[in-house]
Amino acid sequence: MATRDPDRKRQQLMEAALAEFAEYGVAGARVDRLAKRAGISPGLVYSFFAGKEGLFEAVYEAIVEQTVGAVPIDADDLPGYAGRLHDAAAQHPQVMRFLSWYALERAERAMPEIVARSMADKIAAIEAAQRRGSVTRDKPAGEILALVLALANMWQQHTEDVRQLVTAEQRRTTITDAVRSLITPQEPADG
């Protein structure tokens, strides 16, 4: 006799939804197709989430929570943080494709609370590192964070013509060196 395991079904659904949304975005995704990927009935999707829109948001929030937990910021080592973000993105290209769709299809929406809280925490950590002198004060913490995030994910955001400019083996070093140059406090010039 089969036993019911709603947590397992929900996890299967989330994994299938990530694959479906990474491939088609929310507009092109189909509930019947993602239910088939998950090995569940389409009606079960609606018992867990408010349709594909609710599922899309749930996948996004799960990605944010997982990334924040798996790659916590170390504001005193922003080059290392950027390198770890790069590594995570390289290991999970499907997540990066999903995030690209999210940016395209949710550009007009307000930032979800989980993201706002995460960004505020990261900015506060960088501000504290600036006060300690381990991060330059030449730019506001929010600008530094934006640049670090952009650099960390730069290879996933480009097509092969740009990626081929730097070998795969050198890409992480290129990112960490750029972040180090960006955040290292400058010594005052002798005057």
Side-chain angles (χ1 to χ4, degrees):
M1 177 184 296
T3 60
R4 292 180 181 226
D5 186 351
D7 291 336
R8 185 176 62 81
K9 292 284 188 194
R10 188 177 197 284
Q11 184 58 38
Q12 287 174 279
L13 179 57
M14 292 287 284
E15 291 169 7
L18 173 59
E20 179 78 8
F21 293 139
E23 192 169 346
Y24 299 104
V26 72
R30 293 184 35 205
V31 171
D32 61 332
R33 195 170 44 217
L34 71 90
K36 184 176 181 179
R37 284 181 190 231
I40 63 173
S41 70
L44 196 52
V45 172
Y46 297 98
S47 70
F48 285 111
F49 299 98
K52 71 177 181 177
E53 294 286 334
L55 182 53
F56 190 69
E57 293 298 328
V59 170
Y60 178 74
E61 288 184 13
I63 287 170
V64 172
E65 285 178 16
Q66 180 181 6
T67 302
V68 169
V71 189
I73 190 168
D74 179 352
D76 292 312
D77 182 19
L78 289 173
Y81 173 63
R84 290 187 303 280
L85 285 172
H86 162 76
D87 296 344
Q91 290 172 359
H92 304 285
Q94 196 173 47
V95 169
M96 295 308 293
R97 283 191 302 276
F98 174 90
L99 292 174
S100 293
W101 278 112
Y102 193 90
L104 287 169
E105 295 181 327
R106 295 295 192 257
E108 302 301 316
R109 285 206 173 167
M111 184 185 314
E113 177 61 31
I114 189 171
V115 175
R117 193 171 48 251
S118 173
M119 291 299 197
D121 291 347
K122 290 173 186 171
I123 289 169
I126 293 171
E127 288 171 341
Q130 287 176 313
R131 288 190 297 276
R132 287 189 298 275
S134 60
V135 174
T136 185
R137 293 179 182 224
D138 291 348
K139 294 182 180 358
E143 286 181 25
I144 290 173
L145 178 59
L147 290 166
V148 168
L149 294 175
L151 287 167
N153 295 311
M154 64 188 261
W155 301 116
Q156 285 73 31
Q157 303 297 327
H158 289 285
T159 55
E160 191 55 36
D161 59 329
V162 174
R163 284 193 296 265
Q164 74 177 352
L165 297 173
V166 177
T167 65
E169 297 78 21
Q170 188 61 28
R171 290 176 189 161
R172 186 183 204 278
T173 301
T174 300
I175 290 167
T176 58
D177 288 350
V179 171
R180 188 171 293 105
S181 294
L182 170 74
I183 61 101
T184 302
Q186 301 299 313
E187 297 293 323
D190 292 334

